[in-house]
Amino acid sequence: MLIDVSGSMRQTDPRNLRAPAVQLFNELIPAGAIAGVWLFAEQTEVLAPPGAVDDEWRKRLRGRLNRIHSRGLFTDIEGAIRTATADWSQKPAEGERHLILLTDGLTDVSKNPEDSAASRQRILTEQIERLKGMSAKVHAIGLSDQIDEQLMRLLAVQTGGWMEKAETADALQRLFLRVLEQSAPPTTVPIKGNRFEIDNQVRELTVLAFRPEGGQSQLTTPDGERIRADQLLPGVRWRAEAGYDLITIANPKPGQWRIRGVEDPDNRVVIITDLDIETGPLPSAIAQGEGPRAETWLTDHKQPIQRLDLLQVVQAKVQLSPDPAQQQPGATPGQSSTPDTTAAATPAAPPPASEQPLPLDAASARFAADLRTAGLAPGVYRLDFVIDGGTFQRQISRHLKIRGAPLQASYESQLPTDTQPQAAILVKLSADPDAVEPASLFGYLIARGPEGFNEVIEIPKDKRFPLTVKIPIQQPGDYQISGQFIGRALAGEPIQIQPEAGNLHLDFKAPKTTKAGVQGSAEPFSWLWFFVYLLAGNALLGSALGLTWWLMGRARKVHVGSAMV
């Protein structure tokens, strides 16, 4: 794990919430994992040397969290990656290899911009190839709008890792939880309605309970006893951090426990037990409709359980649900908040949850099936692998992105109301930043309808996506909307995109206007030469690519209403 301590963190993380985020990681990372933590700015400093995670490793890191600062002069990402991976061989001996990078800025190695540009180029060429050769997945967390998002995404996408962007430092804890579940997922038990079951195989549990500022968490034991920060029972450790509580209980009583506080989808109950759960490798992202292999199994003292008589009475399943973090405004393409100009429109519904049983494969003594994703909308999903033995439950959570087209369009009709008498078509455009640079996209939409209705809507460059386009309509009838866009793929090559066309029927009482009033009083003009350029390769000084779009007929422009997510 690499933590940025450059001076800009004074603005992006003024309360130093990196420390409680690393503390959350420290408490929940599974024992036995090999982990190390570094701080970096103009130089790289070891915070916790690489080693097997145990009580002593956690204690060492816990005691050094106050060394996380914001006094560095530069942001040498290349040097930090090189230092942290210096002792990595070409192939990991066993397990998976992950690199977690948290930064709030750009590659910045000296006062000379040419030095920084050369360092960035080496990351994109030499370092990415080296990381891929070592089977290392990079999980990038960007804090602020000033990050080099293209660089961060390329590091993650090219290595099969994960990219998260925090709008504020307050989101860091939840992002660290998701990245932990992508790299070294801890064993948990399911939480339903703030209740969870603990069996007699559990030696220790740790409750992660998120709470609003000023809120308080409580636990109720199976015997009805209350546990609070100021009312602890023997064997209970309570750590209150900014935004969450961590409650660790040794030798917890078997039975049903309850969290008293805010019901939060990111709450977790992490357990230590000899009867454990493991999962097979899973990609971070798949294409829509693709079905990767989902596999899970039970272990006893870290060894896979092979007894079929036991496994045949155990049930396993995987549940896909929309990632809670991605349902917040500004998180996921296609799930945008409704802009002021279209406030009467209904927000897009989240993708449906899906539960799939995992049958036992007697030959491997594992529970496995191809993941069914047909019908699931593009977006980010949380995958909960659950093994239920009747008297015990084990769970591991992962995260999966289902990719759609680089640019997706959805269409809604807005009928006249007393408060908004103008009918309209709402076109919502969502760009996948892992496939295309949203700021490079530009193009047009064409809407055609009854009585010669023909509207051309220009979408200029540098619009923020998701984007909502509102097309006013005067006459009821059938409408067709299509579009053409050009931009740059994440790696820099030109890309031409034709979003899926839309067909809508609007049924309403037309206002009493003249035909000229229906089409508007704008002077007719011909849309004709529309010159565009694209930059190819890695340099912005590449050659421009010219393209001519010829649009026949009479048309007028309508304004674009947009929402920034």
Side-chain angles (χ1 to χ4, degrees), residues 201-313:
Q201 297 282 335
V202 176
R203 300 196 308 273
E204 183 179 280
L205 69 81
T206 297
V207 175
L208 167 63
F210 286 96
R211 52 171 166 72
E213 188 171 349
Q216 186 182 60
S217 304
Q218 296 184 30
L219 287 181
T220 302
T221 72
D223 296 337
E225 294 179 283
R226 295 285 184 94
I227 303 176
R228 302 189 317 220
D230 58 353
Q231 185 179 315
L232 300 180
L233 297 178
V236 177
R237 301 195 312 273
W238 193 297
R239 295 188 62 88
E241 300 286 356
Y244 69 86
D245 290 314
L246 280 172
I247 308 109
T248 300
I249 302 173
N251 301 313
K253 296 178 181 178
Q256 187 178 86
W257 291 67
R258 181 180 178 187
I259 304 172
R260 293 186 174 272
V262 176
E263 188 171 342
D264 193 297
D266 281 331
N267 287 347
R268 298 288 190 274
V269 178
V270 177
I271 62 172
I272 296 178
T273 176
D274 293 329
L275 183 60
D276 218 332
I277 181 175
E278 295 286 347
T279 61
L282 196 70
S284 294
I286 61 171
Q288 196 171 10
E290 192 176 342
R293 192 71 169 169
E295 193 174 46
T296 186
W297 60 94
L298 281 172
T299 65
D300 184 12
H301 291 83
K302 304 299 182 182
Q303 297 301 313
I305 294 176
Q306 302 287 338
R307 289 179 50 191
L308 295 182
D309 58 336
L310 171 62
L311 298 178
Q312 285 170 348
V313 297

Side-chain angles (χ1 to χ4, degrees), residues 463-484:
K463 281 291 180 180
R464 298 296 298 269
F465 288 83
L467 181 72
T468 298
V469 180
K470 181 177 180 180
I471 307 173
I473 298 299
Q474 296 288 347
Q475 292 293 320
D478 293 321
Y479 290 83
Q480 300 81 42
I481 308 97
S482 60
Q484 291 282 352

Side-chain angles (χ1 to χ4, degrees), residues 483-532:
Q484 291 282 352
F485 289 82
I486 288 180
R488 287 192 302 271
L490 188 61
E493 66 272 18
I495 183 173
Q496 185 171 354
I497 306 169
Q498 184 174 349
E500 185 176 354
N503 295 280
L504 291 176
H505 177 76
L506 279 75
D507 188 6
F508 61 94
K509 186 176 181 180
K512 294 181 180 179
T513 59
T514 64
K515 184 173 182 180
V518 171
Q519 295 300 329
S521 57
E523 288 296 319
F525 70 90
S526 201
W527 255 83
L528 299 333
W529 295 93
F530 180 176
F531 291 98
V532 299

Side-chain angles (χ1 to χ4, degrees), residues 349-403:
S354 173
E355 185 173 291
Q356 180 180 345
L358 298 176
L360 175 64
D361 177 11
S364 64
R366 296 182 176 186
F367 302 92
D370 291 338
L371 204 58
R372 294 198 298 261
T373 63
L376 294 179
V380 177
Y381 289 81
R382 176 173 137 187
L383 277 67
D384 293 318
F385 290 84
V386 180
I387 296 180
D388 189 342
T391 59
F392 69 89
Q393 288 184 319
R394 299 291 183 266
Q395 175 178 281
I396 277 186
S397 297
R398 304 289 294 270
H399 301 267
L400 176 70
K401 179 175 182 178
I402 299 179
R403 290 178 176 154

Side-chain angles (χ1 to χ4, degrees), residues 411-428:
Y411 307 91
E412 295 181 20
S413 59
Q414 179 178 280
L415 299 180
T417 65
D418 292 338
T419 57
Q420 195 162 356
Q422 176 73 68
I425 295 173
L426 304 180
V427 184
K428 297 184 179 181

Side-chain angles (χ1 to χ4, degrees), residues 29-38 46 48-54 57-58 60 87:
I29 187 172
I34 308 297
V37 183
W38 286 262
V46 174
V53 174
D54 55 16
W57 190 92
R58 296 184 204 273
R60 185 184 304 115
D87 62 343

Side-chain angles (χ1 to χ4, degrees), residues 57-359:
W57 190 92
R58 296 184 204 273
K59 181 180 179 181
R60 185 184 304 115
L61 177 56
R62 192 182 302 127
R64 296 178 177 179
L65 293 178
N66 59 1
R67 299 188 185 183
I68 299 176
H69 59 85
S70 303
R71 300 187 299 272
L73 298 178
F74 298 106
T75 308
D76 188 356
I77 296 174
E78 179 194 9
I81 293 174
R82 182 175 58 248
T83 300
T85 63
D87 62 343
W88 284 5
S89 61
Q90 288 301 106
K91 295 289 184 180
E94 59 181 9
E96 297 182 345
R97 181 176 275 161
H98 301 268
L99 181 69
I100 299 169
L101 170 66
L102 167 67
T103 183
D104 74 336
L106 311 175
T107 299
D108 176 25
V109 300
S110 78
K111 293 182 179 180
N112 185 352
E114 293 182 359
D115 294 340
S116 298
S119 178
R120 182 183 189 273
Q121 187 63 23
R122 287 192 296 271
I123 296 172
L124 289 172
T125 54
E126 300 170 16
Q127 282 199 327
I128 283 183
E129 289 305 311
R130 180 172 176 266
L131 289 165
K132 289 164 64 176
M134 296 184 297
S135 301
K137 296 181 179 181
V138 179
H139 309 289
I141 300 176
L143 178 59
S144 87
D145 289 330
Q146 304 304 314
I147 61 167
D148 186 342
E149 188 166 347
Q150 184 187 30
L151 173 66
M152 301 272 281
R153 288 196 180 277
L154 280 168
L155 276 166
V157 172
Q158 293 289 324
T159 62
W162 197 258
M163 165 71 186
E164 291 277 9
K165 185 177 176 183
E167 298 295 332
T168 66
D170 295 306
L172 278 180
Q173 288 90 344
R174 296 176 190 266
L175 297 192
F176 267 66
L177 173 64
R178 268 177 285 287
V179 168
L180 172 65
E181 291 176 334
Q182 289 303 98
S183 54
T187 297
T188 63
V189 294
I191 304 174
K192 296 180 180 179
N194 265 1
R195 300 175 188 271
F196 59 93
E197 295 283 342
I198 293 297
D199 58 85
N200 57 14
Q201 297 282 335
V202 176
R203 300 196 308 273
E204 183 179 280
L205 69 81
T206 297
V207 175
L208 167 63
F210 286 96
R211 52 171 166 72
E213 188 171 349
Q216 186 182 60
S217 304
Q218 296 184 30
L219 287 181
T220 302
T221 72
D223 296 337
E225 294 179 283
R226 295 285 184 94
I227 303 176
R228 302 189 317 220
D230 58 353
Q231 185 179 315
L232 300 180
L233 297 178
V236 177
R237 301 195 312 273
W238 193 297
R239 295 188 62 88
E241 300 286 356
Y244 69 86
D245 290 314
L246 280 172
I247 308 109
T248 300
I249 302 173
N251 301 313
K253 296 178 181 178
Q256 187 178 86
W257 291 67
R258 181 180 178 187
I259 304 172
R260 293 186 174 272
V262 176
E263 188 171 342
D264 193 297
D266 281 331
N267 287 347
R268 298 288 190 274
V269 178
V270 177
I271 62 172
I272 296 178
T273 176
D274 293 329
L275 183 60
D276 218 332
I277 181 175
E278 295 286 347
T279 61
L282 196 70
S284 294
I286 61 171
Q288 196 171 10
E290 192 176 342
R293 192 71 169 169
E295 193 174 46
T296 186
W297 60 94
L298 281 172
T299 65
D300 184 12
H301 291 83
K302 304 299 182 182
Q303 297 301 313
I305 294 176
Q306 302 287 338
R307 289 179 50 191
L308 295 182
D309 58 336
L310 171 62
L311 298 178
Q312 285 170 348
V313 297
V314 171
Q315 294 183 335
K317 65 180 179 181
V318 58
Q319 180 171 321
L320 286 82
S321 55
D323 192 301
Q326 307 302 322
Q327 302 312 306
Q328 303 301 320
T332 295
Q335 302 298 322
S336 62
S337 58
T338 306
D340 293 341
T341 57
T342 60
T346 303
S354 173
E355 185 173 291
Q356 180 180 345
L358 298 176

